[in-house]
Amino acid sequence: MKPAAFDYVAPHTVREAVDALGDTWRDVRVLAGGQSLILEMHMRRICPDLVVDINHVAGLDRIGLDDGTVRVGALVRHQVFESPQAVPGPLGRLCANAVVNIAHPPIRTRGTLVGSIAWAHPASEWCAIAVALDAVIEVRSSGGVREIAARDFFLGPLQTARAPDEIITSVRFPLLGGSTGVGFVEHRRTHFCFAQVAVAAAVTVHDGLIVDARIGLANCADRPVRARAAERVLIGADVSAANDHPFADAALAGDHQPVDHPFGDADLAGNRLPADHPFARAGRAAADEDAAPVDEPYADPEYRRQVIAVLVGRTLRQAVADWRSHAEPEGGLR
Amino acid sequence: MKLWTRREDARLLTGHGRYVADLVVPGCLDAAFVRSRVAHGLIREVDCSAAREVPGVVGAWSAADLSELPVCANEAAHLQDLPPVPRTMLAKLSTEDAVNGREWPSLAKDRVRYAGEAVAVVLGEDRYRAEDGAAEVTYRIDPLPAVVTPAAGAADSVSLFDGLSNVAFRGTAGEPIEEVVWRRAAAVVEARYRQQLLLPTPMECRTILAVPEDGRLTVWSGHQMPHRLRLELAKSLGWPAERVRVVVPDTGGAFGSKSATFPEYVAVVFLAVKLGRPVRWIEDRMESMSVATRGRGQDQRVRLAADEDGRLLAYELEIDADVGAYPHLGVGLPMQTAWMATGPYMTPRVHATVRSVLTNTMVTYPYRGAGRPEATAALERSMDVLARRLGLDPAELRRRNLIPPESFPYQTPTGRRYDSGNYAAALELALETIGYDAWRAEQARRRARPDALPLGIGLACYVERSGGEPGGLHDFAGVEADEDGAIIAHCGAASSGQSHETTFPALVARTLGVDEYRVRLVEGDTDAQPEGLGSFASRSAQVDGAALQNAALLFAERARERAAELWGVPVEEVEWSGGTLYPVRDGSAGMDLTELVKATGPLRVHERFESGMGFPFGAHAAVAEIDTELGVVRVLRLVAVDDSGVVLDPAVVRGQAFGSAVQGIGQALYEGIPYGEDGVPLMANGLLDYLVPTASEIPPIEIKDTCTPSPSTPLGAKGAGESGCIGSPAAIVNAVADALQIADPDLLQMPLTPDVVWRAARAPKYEEA
Ligand SMILES: Cc1cc2nc3c(=O)[nH]c(=O)nc-3n(C[C@H](O)[C@H](O)[C@H](O)COP(=O)(O)OP(=O)(O)OC[C@H]3O[C@@H](n4cnc5c(N)ncnc54)[C@H](O)[C@@H]3O)c2cc1C
C-alpha cells in the first residue's frame, strides 16, 4: 500500500492550478482532502504522474451566498457542514443531517464536498443532494469556465463530465425557501462505512399540501439518482396524513440505558406507513421506477429496493416533521 | 498516585511503543510479494526481469529463480520439548497423513491455491521501491475452477492436490448414537449452521525483520511463540537453533494469527541469509486481509434430543470444516469443536464428527476462541430451539441440564475432563444482571402490539478449554536477582497486548512479598529465555503465571538456603519476609536480598512447570431489538459472566472480556468474507468492505465474573482471553431468533447482516409453522 512515484506541485492560485492541469499528456490529479485519492494511490489503482495539491490555493475554502444560491468552494471540508448554520435555512439543516453520515470525524476534517462531487462515488451523500437540488458544478480550465448541471455531470461510478484539464472551483446549490422541510436518512452496516442506501428529500408545502418535492438517492444505481417518479406521486399530497411521532417503544422504559439508534431513523420503524399512504407509494415508485440497484455483497437488488422504499417513506416523514418545526408563518402552517 | 492502569500503558498510550516496523536497522531491505489475483490456477510463467531494472530494487525472484528456497512448514524434528510444530503438532492441529504428498511452497511453484498466494518476492531499498518492483513482475496463470465451500471441496470434482482427495483429515469424538435414541425422544431438534470464515484483524499486521550478523540471525517479529519460530526457522535454514535468536518487541495484537511460521517468513529469512543483509516484511492491511490466516469456517449439522422433562438425551454434531488451501497448520483445529461438543450439559450421549476439507482460501488457523465458539454456537442455538419445542423457558431448560458443581472433575462423552465449575451460578448471575424477567415482560408487552419493534432475549452458556493440549501444557519460568537487588522474572510467554508487564511482576512480587516495582519482566527473547512455549490457548496466566509463582517460591527457598549456608544455621532457621532474610533464633536484623547476592553472587531459578487443562466457563445474555423493515439488529444489552478461576488482575481480565465480547459481536453481526465464484474475496476496499465493530457499534456491555479456582495448578487461574468470542455470538443470534420467533433455525446464519435478518423476518414464525 505505497503509491507509485509521482510529481507534485502545490499552486497558490487557481490559475496556476489550471496551468498544471493543462498538461494533458500526463495523468494529472487534483488533490483536495485526499480521503479518496490517497487511498486509491496507496492501492495503485490510480497512479498519477502529477498531483496538483490545491490546499494552498487562497479563496477556495469559502461558502458564498448570492442571489438565492450558495456557492461551496473546492476546499470547504465536510466538517464545516456539521453546523446547520453553515448554510442558511433548510439547506443548512439538510447538509447537517447528511454530513454526519460521511465516514468518521477525522475524515470529515479533511475531505471536501467538492472532492466528493468530483469523485462521484455512487454512494456519496453530497452527490445525491446535488442531483436532487439541481446543483451546478463550476469548472475551469485554460480554455475558460463552464457550468455543468448536476443531472448531466454524473456519468457512472467514478465517472463525470469533467474533462481531465478542468478543476472544479465550486458547486452551487439553490437555497431552499422557508416553506420547505428537509430530511436525510441513511442505511449502512456500521457507522463509518459507505451507505447501502441513502435518501435526501426536500418538500415544499403550501396550505398543507406538497407543492414541490425533490428526492435524491445514493447507492441506488451506478450514479446518484433523482427520484422523479417518486416526486410525482407526492405532488398534491396532504401532509397532515403523515404521522411524524417517533415510535414510543424504541425508547425503553425504566432503568435500561437509553440506546443510540444509529442506522437511519430506525425509531420510526415500528410505526409503519399504510401501503396506500402517498409516502409509501412514493417509496415504492422510487424503488421500482427510479432506482437501478446493482448487486453488492450484503445488499442484493431485491433487498436494496426494500430499503429504498422504506427509507424514502422515513425521509419524507422526517422532512414533514422538519417543515412543521421550522416553517415560517407564511409558509403554510395550518 | 498511579497514572496508568498498566505498566505498559505509559509507553503504549503515548506513542512510545516500539513495534517491528519502528526498528531502524541500517541497510535494511523491504520485501514486497507479488500476489496471485487468481484463486486457483496453473502457473505458466512468472517474469521478474523488468522488476530487476527498477531503481532501488535489489532483487526479484520467483520460485523458479530460487530453487533452494525451503518449503513452508518444515518438519521440526528431533528437538526436545517441542512447542507445537506444523507436522504432528502437540495441539493436534495437523497430522502426518494430512501433509503427506502435499507440499506447501514458500513461493508458489506450479500452482496457486488461494488468491493472494505469493508467486514472487521483490526486495527494495524501502517498501516503495519494493512495490515499484512488484508492479513490474508479470505472470501468466491458467485458471482452474475454484473450490469455495467445504461441500464443493468434499465432492472432489476439482482437487487442490492432484490425485489426492480434498478431504485432508477426518476425526471423531464420542461414540455413535443409536437410532432408537432419537426415535424415543420427546423432542429432536435438527439444524444446520454456518460458522463463517473470519479475519483475526489485529491492529498491527504480521511483521518480521531478519538481521544476519556474525554467523547468527536475529529475527524480530510480532509473534506469540518466539521459541517455535526460532526452531522452525533454524530448521528451514538447516541451522542449529542456537544460531537463531527471536525477539518479540511490542506487538499490536495477534488473536491467534501470529503463532506460526508463514511462507513469507521463510522467504524473508532465507533471503536475509542469502544476501547477508537485513530484510524485513511489514505486512500491510490489504495483504493481511487476503493472506493472513482465517478463523472459524465450519458447516455444521446437529441433532439434539430431549425427553419430555427437557432432559437432554443425545447430541450429534457433524462438521465440514473449511481449512483452506494447505493442511499444514489447521486441519486438526475443528477437533477442538468436536472435543468441546458436550458443552456445559450432562448429555449422556454425544457424538461429533469432523471432515476437514481443503478449499481455495488461505489456511484456517486458531482465531480467538479457536473451535470453541463453533461448538458453543451450534449447541446453544439448538438449546433455544429445543426450549421452544418443549414449551420451556430457555433458562429453565439450561438449568435442568447444567453439570452440577459437585460432579467435578467431570468426564465428558467427547473425551474432556472438566476441572471445576459452577455453571448454574454463572447463569443465574447473568439472568439477574441483565434483568431477565423484566425483559421477558417487555417482550410480552411488545408481542401484544402488532406495530411494536420485536425484541428478543438470547442466552448462551459455555465451557471452553485453556492452557493447551496434553504434551503442550508446560512452560518455563525463572526468577533472578542481580547484584543490584533488582528481581527479574522471565517466562516463555510472549505478550501481543495482554498486559504481561503489569500482571506477571505483580504476581511475582506478591508471592515474594516485595514491592511490585522491584520486579521486572523479561519475555519474548529466546536469548534471554532459552526455552518457552508462548502465549496461545489463553494460557499465559494459567500456565506461565503458575510457573512464575512456582519459580518465585523456589527462589525464596534458594535464598533461604544461601543465607543458611552463609550464617551456618539450618535452613529451617532462616525466614524470608518481604525480600529480607532473617535468622529466626537470634533476633538480629535481617539481610536484604541485595546484600545476600552481593555476598554470594547472583541468584537464579529456572524451572519447567506443567499445568493441567483449564476449563473456563460462563453465561452470556443479550437483548436485541429488530427493525424488521430494514433487518437492522440493535443489541440493547449484552451481559457477559465469565469464570476464569483465580484472577490475577481484575482490570486486565475485564479488558479481555470486553474486547473479546466486541469481537463476538463482530462475528454475530458484521464480519464475513464474501467470495466470488472464482474464489477471490470481494474485499477490494479493505476494512471498508470487511466491517469490524468500531467504538460506535459497541452496545452497553456489562461484565461480571464468578470465581471457581482451577485445581490444575496451585495458582488456580484459568484462561481469560477468549470468553467473549465464545459466548457472545450465540447469545446475540439467539436474541434475534427469539425476537423474530422464526420457525426455521437454518435461516439465521452469521453474520446477521440486515439483508439476512430482513429475509428471516419475513419467514414463517413458529406459531404459524
Ligand atoms: C473510511 C472512509 C469512509 C468514507 N465514507 C464516505 C461516505 O460515507 N460517504 C462519502 O461520500 N464519502 C466517504 N468517504 C470519502 C470521503 O468523503 C472523501 O473525502 C471524498 O470522497 C473526496 O473528497 P476529498 O476532498 O477527500 O477528495 P480527494 O480524495 O482529494 O479527491 C478525490 C478525487 O476527486 C478529484 N478532485 C478533488 N477535488 C477536485 C477539484 N476541485 N477539481 C477536480 N477534481 C477534484 C481528485 O483528483 C480525485 O480524483 C470515505 C472515506 C474514507 C477514507
Side-chain angles (χ1 to χ4, degrees):
Chain A
M1 294 178 75
K2 302 287 184 215
F6 55 89
D7 290 333
Y8 171 89
V9 288
H12 288 269
T13 65
V14 174
R15 226 208 124 78
E16 287 166 23
V18 163
D19 285 347
L21 281 171
D23 184 358
T24 49
W25 290 103
R26 304 204 293 167
D27 184 358
V28 187
R29 302 280 174 154
V30 172
L31 173 71
Q35 298 306 299
S36 296
L37 181 62
I38 301 285
L39 207 79
E40 295 299 306
M41 287 171 62
H42 277 156
M43 307 215 196
R44 297 195 181 216
R45 290 193 291 234
I46 295 180
C47 299
D49 301 303
L50 173 65
V51 169
V52 180
D53 179 353
I54 60 170
N55 284 280
H56 305 277
V57 175
L60 289 182
D61 59 350
R62 281 182 216 139
I63 296 180
L65 292 174
D66 54 352
D67 207 19
T69 66
V70 51
R71 172 178 275 115
V72 178
L75 286 177
V76 179
R77 314 286 168 183
H78 298 314
Q79 186 202 33
V80 169
F81 299 95
E82 287 174 20
S83 157
Q85 278 80 44
V87 174
L91 182 58
R93 299 197 298 275
L94 178 61
C95 291
N97 278 346
V99 74
V100 292
N101 294 289
I102 300 176
H104 39 66
I107 289 174
R108 296 201 290 268
T109 64
R110 299 291 307 163
T112 64
L113 179 148
V114 171
S116 295
I117 302 281
W119 184 236
H121 192 286
S124 158
E125 291 79 3
W126 293 134
C127 295
I129 291 176
V131 294
L133 301 186
D134 284 325
V136 173
I137 290 93
E138 303 180 334
V139 302
R140 190 192 295 187
S141 68
S142 52
V145 299
R146 164 165 101 101
E147 298 192 339
I148 312 169
R151 85 178 80 86
D152 302 323
F153 186 77
F154 300 104
L155 304 180
L158 315 183
Q159 286 164 40
T160 69
R162 181 187 71 87
D165 65 336
E166 287 176 322
I167 181 174
I168 306 177
T169 49
S170 52
V171 175
R172 242 165 43 222
F173 294 87
L175 279 175
L176 300 171
S179 57
T180 300
V182 292
F184 193 98
V185 178
E186 178 157 318
H187 173 63
R188 55 182 191 271
R189 290 184 50 216
T190 63
H191 281 73
F192 89 107
C193 69
F194 280 83
Q196 284 190 331
V197 171
V199 179
V203 293
T204 307
V205 180
H206 269 296
D207 295 333
L209 301 179
I210 293 178
V211 295
D212 187 28
R214 289 162 172 276
I215 298 175
L217 308 177
N219 210 30
C220 296
D222 68 348
R223 66 194 80 179
V225 168
R226 177 153 178 201
R228 290 186 185 273
E231 291 172 2
R232 279 195 297 274
V233 171
L234 293 169
I235 300 304
D238 181 350
V239 297
S240 64
N243 177 359
D244 58 347
H245 292 295
F247 187 59
D249 273 337
L252 288 158
D255 61 346
H256 301 305
Q257 285 188 41
V259 175
D260 159 35
H261 283 154
F263 305 100
D265 243 9
D267 51 346
L268 298 174
N271 193 2
R272 294 184 183 208
L273 289 166
D276 60 349
H277 189 284
F279 293 179
R281 286 192 288 122
R284 274 198 311 281
D288 297 339
E289 296 169 50
D290 295 312
V294 292
D295 200 8
E296 58 180 53
Y298 311 113
D300 56 54
E302 185 198 17
Y303 173 67
R304 216 101 61 81
R305 286 191 205 279
Q306 161 73 10
V307 176
I308 295 164
V310 172
L311 252 55
V312 165
R314 292 186 189 179
T315 313
L316 290 168
R317 289 158 87 174
Q318 204 187 71
V320 169
D322 177 73
W323 167 78
R324 283 232 173 83
S325 50
H326 292 96
E328 291 155 14
E330 67 274 24
L333 262 193
R334 287 147 306 133
Chain B
M1 191 189 76
K2 217 163 134 192
L3 265 168
W4 307 97
T5 315
R6 309 183 308 162
R7 275 200 209 186
E8 46 273 77
D9 284 346
R11 183 174 80 254
L12 298 179
L13 301 186
T14 58
H16 290 88
R18 272 164 62 86
Y19 301 83
V20 173
D22 297 319
L23 305 175
V24 179
V25 178
C28 182
L29 302 175
D30 265 283
F33 289 88
V34 179
R35 300 189 173 282
S36 170
R37 284 178 295 271
V38 176
H40 194 198
L42 298 173
I43 300 178
R44 296 305 180 196
E45 189 193 0
V46 180
D47 183 354
C48 297
S49 52
R52 297 189 188 112
E53 306 304 314
V54 171
V57 167
V58 172
W61 300 269
S62 68
D65 304 325
L66 276 185
S67 52
E68 348 62 294
L69 177 68
V71 294
C72 189
N74 248 308
E75 190 182 7
H78 314 306
L79 294 159
Q80 291 272 298
D81 254 332
L82 213 54
V85 293
R87 281 228 164 167
T88 46
M89 296 187 63
L90 295 171
K92 304 194 182 90
L93 287 183
S94 191
T95 66
E96 209 58 56
D97 270 359
V99 299
N100 275 341
R102 295 184 175 104
E103 188 185 83
W104 191 3
S106 297
L107 287 176
K109 279 183 186 153
D110 32 41
R111 196 182 234 199
V112 291
R113 293 186 176 86
Y114 60 91
E117 186 166 8
V119 296
V121 54
V122 179
L123 296 186
E125 283 161 5
D126 57 33
R127 176 79 187 216
Y128 290 85
R129 312 290 173 165
E131 287 194 25
D132 289 349
E136 298 303 320
V137 173
T138 56
Y139 58 76
R140 215 154 43 77
I141 297 174
D142 290 344
L144 294 167
V147 175
V148 182
T149 63
D156 271 329
S157 57
V158 178
S159 320
L160 269 74
F161 292 85
D162 287 337
L164 292 173
S165 168
N166 294 325
V167 178
F169 173 87
R170 286 173 195 272
T172 63
E175 295 299 321
I177 297 161
E178 289 165 41
E179 274 310 310
V180 62
V181 176
W182 307 107
R183 272 204 310 277
R184 293 206 185 132
V188 178
V189 166
E190 293 190 36
R192 289 170 186 272
Y193 307 114
R194 168 88 182 140
Q195 310 295 329
Q196 79 270 35
L197 286 171
L198 299 176
L199 301 177
T201 342
M203 290 234 271
E204 179 202 38
C205 303
R206 289 175 297 176
T207 52
I208 187 164
L209 160 64
V211 185
E213 219 167 19
D214 304 329
R216 285 192 90 202
L217 186 73
T218 304
V219 173
W220 304 78
S221 181
H223 207 274
Q224 299 169 246
M225 300 171 69
H227 298 84
R228 169 182 177 181
L229 184 63
R230 176 181 63 165
L231 285 178
E232 292 180 4
L233 292 177
K235 176 74 187 175
S236 289
L237 294 168
W239 288 10
E242 301 75 55
R243 278 178 69 190
V244 179
R245 174 187 180 195
V246 173
V247 186
V248 178
D250 284 329
T251 299
F255 310 122
S257 72
K258 293 181 180 170
S259 59
T261 301
F262 302 103
E264 291 86 353
Y265 291 10
V266 175
V268 161
V269 163
F270 174 79
L271 287 171
V273 171
K274 179 183 162 80
L275 303 186
R277 290 187 66 168
V279 177
R280 66 175 193 172
W281 175 58
I282 309 297
E283 182 181 44
D284 69 30
R285 180 63 61 192
M286 295 306 284
E287 283 186 292
S288 170
M289 292 184 69
S290 62
V291 302
T293 54
R294 278 94 167 87
R296 319 282 186 266
Q298 292 184 5
D299 286 342
Q300 304 167 322
R301 218 179 57 83
V302 304
R303 277 205 280 181
L304 177 65
D307 68 17
E308 57 280 358
D309 297 328
R311 271 178 242 294
L312 298 178
L313 298 172
Y315 179 54
E316 186 178 75
L317 171 64
E318 281 174 24
I319 300 164
D320 266 357
D322 185 344
V323 294
Y326 293 96
H328 303 69
L329 293 181
V331 281
L333 172 61
M335 286 307 294
Q336 288 296 336
T337 310
W339 292 322
M340 292 309 294
T342 306
Y345 306 116
M346 291 180 294
T347 321
R349 299 168 196 85
V350 182
H351 186 228
T353 54
V354 168
R355 225 169 33 153
S356 292
V357 187
L358 301 177
T359 56
N360 290 118
T361 190
M362 176 51 187
V363 168
T364 310
Y365 192 62
Y367 160 51
R368 203 174 197 175
R372 290 94 79 199
E374 297 91 316
T376 303
L379 180 54
E380 290 304 286
R381 285 286 292 116
S382 305
M383 286 296 278
D384 265 31
V385 179
L386 179 65
R388 210 193 56 225
R389 281 288 159 80
L390 292 165
L392 278 176
D393 183 282
E396 180 54 28
L397 175 66
R398 288 174 170 85
R399 277 187 198 112
R400 290 184 189 177
N401 288 287
L402 288 171
I403 298 165
E406 62 277 10
S407 304
F408 292 90
Y410 183 84
Q411 187 68 41
T412 76
T414 43
R416 291 301 202 197
R417 192 164 185 269
Y418 295 162
D419 57 344
S420 63
N422 187 344
Y423 300 164
L427 174 61
E428 296 310 327
L429 183 57
L431 297 172
E432 180 195 315
T433 306
I434 203 155
Y436 188 70
D437 296 337
W439 284 110
R440 284 280 175 225
E442 168 71 6
Q443 180 179 53
R445 192 181 73 75
R446 291 193 186 199
R447 282 186 179 170
R449 293 183 48 185
D451 57 350
L453 295 178
L455 178 137
I457 306 128
L459 302 175
C461 294
Y462 74 89
V463 54
E464 62 128 334
R465 179 235 55 180
S466 61
E469 293 296 315
L473 281 162
H474 59 286
D475 213 336
F476 301 85
V479 174
E480 327 180 338
D482 280 353
E483 306 213 345
D484 62 3
I487 299 171
I488 297 166
H490 51 89
C491 63
S495 171
S496 47
Q498 297 91 341
S499 324
H500 296 181
E501 271 171 79
T502 299
T503 51
F504 286 162
L507 170 67
V508 169
R510 257 196 323 270
T511 310
L512 293 176
V514 300
D515 180 71
E516 205 178 305
Y517 282 84
R518 192 167 168 185
V519 184
R520 191 163 62 81
L521 177 70
V522 171
E523 63 171 27
D525 180 341
T526 60
D527 271 8
Q529 163 74 23
E531 300 168 286
L533 257 65
S535 290
F536 54 94
S538 288
R539 73 201 305 273
S540 300
Q542 177 185 325
V543 182
D544 292 84
L548 282 166
Q549 184 195 41
N550 178 56
L553 290 170
L554 279 172
F555 177 86
E557 190 63 32
R558 292 289 115 76
R560 285 174 56 223
E561 283 163 17
R562 281 217 189 159
E565 206 177 8
L566 196 65
W567 295 333
V569 299
V571 68
E572 305 78 54
E573 291 183 13
V574 180
E575 195 181 276
W576 165 278
S577 174
T580 306
L581 296 135
Y582 297 95
V584 178
R585 278 172 176 256
D586 70 1
S588 66
M591 182 184 228
D592 185 77
L593 177 64
T594 318
E595 295 166 50
L596 179 73
V597 288
K598 276 209 181 96
T600 63
L603 180 57
R604 300 210 161 93
V605 166
H606 180 78
E607 286 291 313
R608 181 187 196 277
F609 180 86
E610 182 85 30
S611 163
M613 283 197 246
F615 291 89
F617 61 91
H620 290 200
V623 178
E625 162 185 277
I626 320 289
D627 175 347
T628 49
E629 278 188 309
L630 297 177
V632 172
V633 174
R634 273 193 301 269
V635 177
L636 302 179
R637 264 295 185 85
L638 183 65
V639 166
V641 175
D642 301 313
D643 190 318
S644 41
V646 173
V647 163
L648 301 189
D649 183 320
V652 164
V653 169
R654 220 188 124 71
Q656 291 290 325
F658 192 89
S660 61
V662 172
Q663 281 178 314
I665 294 168
Q667 169 163 23
L669 300 180
Y670 304 107
E671 300 179 39
I673 309 177
Y675 284 88
E677 271 177 23
D678 58 2
V680 179
L682 304 170
M683 300 191 297
N685 294 302
L687 290 173
L688 276 167
D689 290 330
Y690 183 92
L691 297 178
V692 294
T694 66
S696 317
E697 274 71 51
I698 298 176
I701 299 177
E702 205 165 334
I703 289 168
K704 292 253 170 98
D705 59 4
T706 57
C707 178
T708 313
S710 169
S712 298
T713 73
L715 182 59
K718 303 182 183 185
E722 304 173 82
S723 55
C725 285
I726 296 167
S728 295
I732 292 168
V733 180
N734 277 341
V736 174
D738 182 46
L740 298 178
Q741 302 174 272
I742 59 164
D744 179 0
D746 299 4
L747 290 176
L748 280 181
Q749 303 294 355
M750 295 184 283
L752 299 184
T753 55
D755 54 328
V756 169
V757 175
W758 171 67
R759 293 208 158 85
R762 297 193 306 168
K765 296 199 188 314
Y766 46 71
E767 301 102 334
E768 307 155 14

